[in-house]
Amino acid sequence: MPNLNPEDFTCPLPIMDYETIQLAHGSGGRLSAELVSRFFLPRFGNETLNRLEDQAVVDFPQGRLALTTDSFVVDPLFFPGGDIGDLAINGTVNDVCMSGATPLYLAAAFILEEGLPMATLHRVLLSMEKAAKTAGVQIVTGDTKVVNRGCCDKLFITTTGLGRVPEGVNISAANLKIGDKIILSGTIADHGMAILTSREGLSFASRVQSDTAALNGLVAQMLQVSSAIHAMRDPTRGGLATTLNEFAAASQVGIMLDETTIPVRSEVRGACEVLGIDPMYVANEGKLVAVVPAEAADRVLAAMRSHPLGREAVIIGEVVADNPGLVAMRTALGAHRIVDMPVGEQLPRIC
Ligand code: MG
């Protein structure tokens, strides 16, 4: 059956008769419509999406808007602790809420490779459905394209997110002030090492799990105790070191870290040591780093620790006048070293 051209049939051919994605599933014709109605709508359906218009028309509260978009090309599609589906939801939710915004709506665009097993697509959609529910966001519009075998690798997803920034919240990498405290929400390097060790088939590292998670609930809890958060980011590609370098450069201040305070799971540290990788540069997908005025630090820290995704939150350093634009670290041995920007991409196709 899969080798026959569906356009040759005059009777409706149910989509389930295909075990893999065909070029015709992206044709905009009958098979495209069936793919949407039988695969996408049952997972994501809501009043707006179900209208199947060319755009989503949604209610939007007054105020400032946060808008972000991200493409997900992670390899492998399924990895310990997550998959491309929950990553595509959580990554975009996180980029919206790092502004302090409440994420409201998502758009999702899929590029499918001809021959992709239907079962794989279904598994990814189930995971996206679950992640969107957990984060409390709706997918209100989307797109599906199919490309010839070899023109993409299995499945790529682009998600766009829209949120509302609460009044009085002004979060930016350029807002760091001398004396501010730097708070990290938990352990670093989990996601990147989960991808790398699963790709390399390193059995000793089988306990390494991605930390992929939506952080909007944690952010809401932080803003409840203080709206004075100066800067906030999720240290994804390039890891904690890159995010802090971006902060230091944008605000032209120095950052001094205390290495002993930065939490790394023992299995992640072990994998990093074997592979010669510095966890400071490895991607996270469910962590945030916030820069807050010293007087608010304890309050924000306590709020974070009372949330499941911030239980291991810790102050890792402070903003200083020395060495503007640079990140420095007191090492476990008491020496100081500069924590540079990475030169190139350490791990391709990590998200
Ligand atoms: Mg980000």
Side-chain angles (χ1 to χ4, degrees), residues 112-193:
L112 312 175
E113 185 188 17
E114 177 190 12
L116 177 78
M118 287 295 187
T120 302
L121 177 62
H122 190 242
R123 195 174 151 196
V124 169
L125 297 182
L126 280 173
S127 160
M128 289 180 80
E129 176 188 24
K130 194 168 157 216
K133 258 193 196 122
T134 304
V137 293
Q138 283 190 333
I139 297 166
V140 290
T141 188
D143 182 51
T144 311
K145 296 275 156 55
V146 179
V147 297
N148 299 72
R149 209 178 283 270
C151 289
C152 85
D153 188 7
K154 299 184 275 289
L155 167 61
F156 295 160
I157 304 173
T158 298
T159 46
T160 299
L162 204 62
R164 182 188 173 270
V165 186
E167 205 134 330
V169 172
N170 179 23
I171 295 173
S172 160
N175 283 351
L176 276 68
K177 301 280 181 297
I178 290 157
D180 283 354
K181 299 292 182 191
I182 297 164
I183 308 179
L184 175 66
S185 67
T187 56
I188 58 166
D190 298 88
H191 176 73
M193 293 317 290

Side-chain angles (χ1 to χ4, degrees), residues 70 91 94-95 98 233-236:
D70 220 329
N94 291 347
D95 277 348
M98 289 305 121
R233 263 185 201 174
D234 53 340
T236 51

Side-chain angles (χ1 to χ4, degrees), residues 193 204-205 264-276:
M193 293 317 290
F204 70 87
V264 185
R265 282 188 212 294
S266 61
E267 61 270 28
V268 170
R269 192 182 292 283
C272 283
E273 276 167 11
V274 167
L275 296 168

Side-chain angles (χ1 to χ4, degrees), residues 5-318:
N5 183 353
E7 307 301 338
D8 293 339
F9 291 81
T10 48
C11 62
L13 192 65
I15 201 166
M16 298 309 277
D17 286 355
Y18 290 95
E19 283 180 5
T20 61
I21 288 287
Q22 311 290 304
L23 280 173
H25 285 127
S27 66
R30 187 161 43 76
L31 275 197
S32 293
E34 267 198 46
L35 185 68
V36 169
S37 66
R38 297 180 67 163
F39 268 66
F40 288 86
L41 291 186
R43 302 277 70 83
F44 305 154
N46 54 65
E47 209 182 299
T48 313
L49 186 67
N50 292 351
R51 282 184 218 128
L52 294 180
E53 301 281 2
D54 283 354
Q55 71 297 111
V57 176
V58 292
D59 288 326
F60 200 80
Q62 283 205 321
R64 286 171 304 154
L65 182 80
L67 176 65
T68 188
T69 193
D70 220 329
S71 293
F72 295 84
V73 298
V74 66
D75 174 40
L77 295 179
F78 304 95
F79 46 82
D83 59 61
I84 191 172
D86 47 26
L87 206 57
I89 300 290
N90 295 338
T92 291
V93 163
N94 291 347
D95 277 348
V96 170
C97 72
M98 289 305 121
S99 66
T102 308
L104 299 171
Y105 305 113
L106 294 187
F110 296 80
I111 297 179
L112 312 175
E113 185 188 17
E114 177 190 12
L116 177 78
M118 287 295 187
T120 302
L121 177 62
H122 190 242
R123 195 174 151 196
V124 169
L125 297 182
L126 280 173
S127 160
M128 289 180 80
E129 176 188 24
K130 194 168 157 216
K133 258 193 196 122
T134 304
V137 293
Q138 283 190 333
I139 297 166
V140 290
T141 188
D143 182 51
T144 311
K145 296 275 156 55
V146 179
V147 297
N148 299 72
R149 209 178 283 270
C151 289
C152 85
D153 188 7
K154 299 184 275 289
L155 167 61
F156 295 160
I157 304 173
T158 298
T159 46
T160 299
L162 204 62
R164 182 188 173 270
V165 186
E167 205 134 330
V169 172
N170 179 23
I171 295 173
S172 160
N175 283 351
L176 276 68
K177 301 280 181 297
I178 290 157
D180 283 354
K181 299 292 182 191
I182 297 164
I183 308 179
L184 175 66
S185 67
T187 56
I188 58 166
D190 298 88
H191 176 73
M193 293 317 290
I195 299 291
L196 190 66
T197 53
S198 70
R199 219 184 264 168
E200 304 291 323
L202 300 177
S203 55
F204 70 87
S206 60
R207 284 185 306 129
V208 178
Q209 297 253 322
S210 170
D211 56 345
T212 178
L215 296 168
N216 50 327
L218 176 62
V219 170
Q221 208 148 301
M222 293 164 70
L223 286 172
Q224 238 164 45
V225 297
S226 174
S227 58
I229 296 167
H230 284 164
M232 190 155 58
R233 263 185 201 174
D234 53 340
T236 51
R237 265 183 309 179
L240 182 62
T242 300
T243 297
L244 293 176
N245 269 279
E246 288 165 354
F247 284 173
S251 294
Q252 275 307 299
V253 292
I255 289 179
M256 178 59 77
L257 303 174
D258 181 350
E259 184 175 30
T260 58
T261 60
I262 299 174
V264 185
R265 282 188 212 294
S266 61
E267 61 270 28
V268 170
R269 192 182 292 283
C272 283
E273 276 167 11
V274 167
L275 296 168
I277 289 173
D278 184 341
M280 289 289 289
Y281 294 93
V282 179
N284 310 279
E285 288 290 346
K287 300 291 154 45
L288 66 80
V289 56
V291 184
V292 302
E295 64 271 18
D298 286 343
R299 223 162 48 238
V300 173
L301 189 62
M304 291 173 77
R305 285 182 174 165
S306 69
H307 190 278
L309 294 175
R311 245 184 250 122
E312 294 171 278
V314 62
I315 295 175
I316 58 166
E318 61 186 345

